[in-house]
Every structure is written in C-alpha cells, then in structure tokens.
Amino acid sequence: MKKIPSILSVLFLCGFLSACKSTALTENHISKVSSISDAEYILDTLEIDADSVFSIFCMIDGMILYFNYEYPKPEETVLTFYKYDIRLNKTYPIGEIPNPYTFSADYTVNGHKIFFTCNQLITAGSNHDEQIISPLYVIDMDNNNLKKCADDASYQTLIYVDMLDHKIISFKGIVDGDNGITYLDLFDPSHANHKDFTAFLTKKYHYDTKKGEVISNFAVWDSVVYVLVNEYNPRRPTAIRIEKYDSFGNYIGDLRLGKNMAAFLSNQTICEFNIFGKYGFTRDFSGHGMIFEITSDTASAKIINKTELDISVSGDQKNVIFFSRDSGKIWTLNPQTDQLYRLDSPYEKIQFICADNDRKMMIQTNQNFDGETVYADIDQIPAKPVN
C-alpha cells in the first residue's frame, strides 16, 4: 500500500509521460557509505544528495525509489523518478512526468510494480476550458521504466489507491450538478488493452438538502474493503461508520466504533486509513494519528493522539511500522502474528521511516537529509510487546 514518508499535496503544471533509459548513472544520488554497530545490532549508513533527491517514494527488496523536480527549460517542471539498488550500489533512471498538476503521494504495490496517480490540468474545447485528468501510472522496478496505464477524470485531486485481488482500487470524487459523488473504482492491470475503470461503490451527497453520504477514505485487507463513511443530515449529528464489503462489492457489515475512536474520526479530516488484521491506523492532515485494535468487530483506540504519528508499510504488506516524529518512538507490527512491538529506538526525533520487505527499514532523522540515514534489520533491534 501506500504512502511516502510525508503525505503532502504538491502542486505542479500539466504534462505528459515520457520514456526512460535503463542504463545506470555514472554518479549515485544515494550511496551506502558504511556499516556501524549500534549496541546489539548493525546499521548500514546511507549518504543522500539533497539537491538530487526531493523525497523517497518507497522501497522494495533493497531498491529505493525516489523522485526529484528538475527544470529543463524556464517555466517547465519535470518530475523524475530514479531507483537506487543498495546491493549493487547503482542508480537507474526510471522515467519522468513533465509538468504534473497534483501528486497524492499514495501508491500500491503488486510484486515489483508500483501503481499511483498523478493529476494533470489540461485545456479542452474551443473555449480552452481547464479540466483535471487523473492518469494511473505504473513503475516496473525490474525493467526500470514508467508507463501510463490509463486516463481518467476526477474532480478530486488527492486520489488514494490500494490493491484488491490484483486489481487497483481507487478512491475518487466528482461533482454532478447539485450532487457530490465519492466512489471507489477498479482497474485490472493484467489486461494490456483494457483501459477502463469499473465502478465498485458509490456514495452521493446532495448540496441543496445537505443530506447524504460521503466516503472519506478506505482500506483493504484479506480481500475485504473497509470504507470510512460520513452520513450527513442537518437535523442530527454526523454519523460515522466503517462499512465492510467483499471483493465483489457486496455489503457484509459494519465495524462498531469505540468511544475514543468515534471521537477521533468525528473531529478530524482523515488522510490515512489502514487495516492489518487485528490492528489499524488512521491519521489526519494535521499529523495526529491513532493505532486502533479490532476485537469482536469493534475498532477501539490503542495508541491515540500522538503528535506527528505516522506509518510506513512494506510492499509485501508483511512489515508495518508506526513512528512518532517528535519523540523518536517506533512500533512495529507483524500482521501474520497480530503482535505489536515497541522498538528500543536510540532516536529522539525521526523525520521519516520507509519500510522494506524482509523486515527491513530506512530511517532518516532530520529534514532535507541533513541527519543520519540508516538501513536496518528490524528483527535485530531489541523490542518489547505492547499489551
């Protein structure tokens, strides 16, 4: 699933997708410089060139995908992706998107392929009306290339994606007259010539009566789709539900909300919502987060309102890391065992963590890559279970 270390909406201009090369660069923007022993475990230290690396996108099996903004011509911005392979100590250009409009920074992974959207603002028709399109892209980490899968139009600029039975499920929104429509749709990347999105779930809000339902986010786990829904009615308080659907879009029930969980969801604008078996995570745009626990079909707060609480999930969904930026605390979850642990972290502050497969993670301690950047094996770090 999902999400680079800092989840931000970044504005750009419009553009298109171009080809990439698969040969390695002569100079690395990221390099492994040493291995150090810290107490009972070994950390690989990385050196990152902040002028060439704007942000880390994700990691898969020791391969770091990152991007930078480049300016080949005046008033032209190019979003360029690169891959650094820690094992080979080599960097490969992946591809570029000239002049994108908005980038949700959300992604989903299928093997070594990474899917994401990057909106574009185009002009259409004789009146040159502006229109937002929402292309779906894929990066192939094995073949070092970036391609456009399909075009789509959406009023909503921040589009979230996940994987449902090898299909891409997306959360989008449009305005249709006096109605605001939020919906989930599906795209099957296995059909090379199939460029259409199919409807999965739709909710409608009526602006004139101020009544209706709005999807605010969603999560997928074990072929079940969990949908965070707000129901509005001016005559009563907003009702918040977590609805459950099977992989065919059939409603199968609700998750009940504990008191603290309901209070958190009702007072926040949610930008992150995840479920991993017995545990889940939600976060608002202000950086407040909550780890919750699911027992007997009820979601209750476990760790709540930690300032700057964030999450990183490995591509194989087997490595889930929660971390607090302002305290340096780190928790790790193994969804296969449903056990939550608190790591013995030596850090007082953390800028971001990027989870990798095989229980690995990258930790950066300061902004702009000025602090220490390490690549570590989680299972070597002392940890205590959270009861």
Side-chain angles (χ1 to χ4, degrees), residues 53-194:
V53 181
F54 182 84
S55 185
I56 305 296
F57 199 23
C58 67
M59 293 189 68
I60 298 179
D61 294 329
M63 297 178 289
I64 302 174
L65 180 65
Y66 62 96
F67 60 86
N68 195 34
Y69 306 132
E70 300 173 356
Y71 308 92
K73 297 178 181 178
E75 300 184 357
E76 181 180 351
T77 303
V78 176
L79 179 61
T80 306
F81 291 87
Y82 298 90
K83 180 188 82 176
Y84 171 68
D85 193 318
I86 294 176
R87 296 160 300 182
L88 301 178
N89 193 32
K90 290 184 178 181
T91 301
Y92 301 87
I94 297 295
E96 59 186 34
I97 304 174
N99 301 323
Y101 176 63
T102 55
F103 186 25
S104 71
D106 194 23
Y107 65 88
T108 187
V109 177
N110 187 9
H112 282 184
K113 292 184 177 180
I114 301 156
F115 296 86
F116 63 97
T117 63
C118 189
N119 290 348
Q120 295 173 297
L121 183 65
I122 64 172
T123 55
S126 57
N127 294 328
H128 300 286
D129 295 327
E130 292 185 338
Q131 178 185 356
I132 295 176
I133 60 172
S134 308
L136 176 68
Y137 298 98
V138 59
I139 288 177
D140 188 328
M141 295 286 274
D142 291 330
N143 295 315
N144 300 332
N145 60 37
L146 183 155
K147 295 179 181 178
K148 182 188 290 187
C149 297
D151 281 319
D152 195 19
S154 174
Y155 183 84
Q156 179 175 307
T157 54
L158 295 180
I159 296 176
Y160 300 98
V161 294
D162 211 326
M163 192 68 61
L164 177 64
D165 294 348
H166 302 290
K167 295 180 181 179
I168 314 303
I169 181 169
S170 305
F171 165 38
K172 301 172 183 175
I174 59 173
V175 174
D176 183 13
D178 291 332
N179 298 316
I181 299 173
T182 50
Y183 61 97
L184 304 178
D185 63 19
L186 295 173
F187 180 84
D188 189 347
S190 66
H191 297 166
N193 297 320
H194 182 67

Side-chain angles (χ1 to χ4, degrees), residues 328-387:
K329 294 178 181 178
I330 303 174
W331 299 264
T332 179
L333 171 68
N334 186 336
Q336 281 64 48
T337 62
D338 280 331
Q339 182 61 61
L340 183 67
Y341 292 90
R342 163 88 180 273
L343 298 186
D344 184 13
S345 168
Y347 304 108
E348 295 182 355
K349 290 185 178 296
I350 295 173
Q351 180 61 23
F352 75 80
I353 290 180
C354 190
D356 196 0
N357 298 340
D358 298 325
R359 304 283 293 165
K360 302 288 198 306
M361 66 176 173
M362 180 170 59
I363 304 173
Q364 164 58 222
T365 58
N366 287 329
Q367 293 182 348
N368 303 321
F369 307 110
D370 290 335
E372 183 180 40
T373 304
V374 299
Y375 185 59
D377 186 330
I378 295 173
D379 292 329
Q380 292 184 3
I381 302 175
K384 296 180 179 180
V386 178
N387 298 321

Side-chain angles (χ1 to χ4, degrees), residues 127-364:
N127 294 328
H128 300 286
D129 295 327
E130 292 185 338
Q131 178 185 356
I132 295 176
I133 60 172
S134 308
L136 176 68
Y137 298 98
V138 59
I139 288 177
D140 188 328
M141 295 286 274
D142 291 330
N143 295 315
N144 300 332
N145 60 37
L146 183 155
K147 295 179 181 178
K148 182 188 290 187
C149 297
D151 281 319
D152 195 19
S154 174
Y155 183 84
Q156 179 175 307
T157 54
L158 295 180
I159 296 176
Y160 300 98
V161 294
D162 211 326
M163 192 68 61
L164 177 64
D165 294 348
H166 302 290
K167 295 180 181 179
I168 314 303
I169 181 169
S170 305
F171 165 38
K172 301 172 183 175
I174 59 173
V175 174
D176 183 13
D178 291 332
N179 298 316
I181 299 173
T182 50
Y183 61 97
L184 304 178
D185 63 19
L186 295 173
F187 180 84
D188 189 347
S190 66
H191 297 166
N193 297 320
H194 182 67
K195 302 296 184 182
D196 295 328
F197 295 85
T198 57
F200 181 83
L201 176 68
T202 299
K203 299 289 185 180
K204 184 179 292 187
Y205 174 82
H206 305 278
Y207 290 111
D208 52 351
T209 63
K210 297 182 179 179
K211 293 182 179 180
E213 296 177 317
V214 175
I215 297 172
S216 61
N217 220 308
F218 79 105
V220 178
W221 182 255
D222 197 20
S223 297
V224 176
V225 182
Y226 298 81
V227 186
L228 191 57
V229 178
N230 292 356
E231 183 178 359
Y232 296 96
N233 188 319
R235 296 186 176 181
R236 57 177 181 263
T238 301
I240 300 175
R241 301 188 303 275
I242 299 178
E243 300 177 349
K244 299 191 297 182
Y245 295 84
D246 65 19
S247 58
F248 299 100
N250 300 311
Y251 172 77
I252 56 177
D254 282 9
L255 277 183
R256 294 184 294 272
L257 302 179
K259 183 178 180 180
N260 289 338
M261 176 98 176
F264 183 91
L265 294 177
S266 62
N267 293 325
Q268 316 293 338
T269 303
I270 302 302
C271 68
E272 185 98 23
F273 182 63
N274 310 93
I275 288 181
F276 312 98
K278 181 182 175 181
Y279 288 95
F281 178 79
T282 185
R283 180 174 178 264
D284 67 14
F285 282 97
S286 298
H288 300 103
M290 177 179 62
I291 302 172
F292 58 89
E293 187 175 12
I294 302 171
T295 55
S296 301
D297 251 2
T298 299
S300 302
K302 185 77 172 180
I303 299 174
I304 190 170
N305 277 342
K306 293 287 184 180
T307 304
E308 292 296 327
L309 187 65
D310 210 338
I311 186 175
S312 183
V313 185
S314 63
D316 61 9
Q317 298 269 299
K318 296 179 181 179
N319 184 13
V320 181
I321 301 170
F322 310 102
F323 60 98
S324 175
R325 288 193 174 89
D326 66 335
S327 70
K329 294 178 181 178
I330 303 174
W331 299 264
T332 179
L333 171 68
N334 186 336
Q336 281 64 48
T337 62
D338 280 331
Q339 182 61 61
L340 183 67
Y341 292 90
R342 163 88 180 273
L343 298 186
D344 184 13
S345 168
Y347 304 108
E348 295 182 355
K349 290 185 178 296
I350 295 173
Q351 180 61 23
F352 75 80
I353 290 180
C354 190
D356 196 0
N357 298 340
D358 298 325
R359 304 283 293 165
K360 302 288 198 306
M361 66 176 173
M362 180 170 59
I363 304 173
Q364 164 58 222

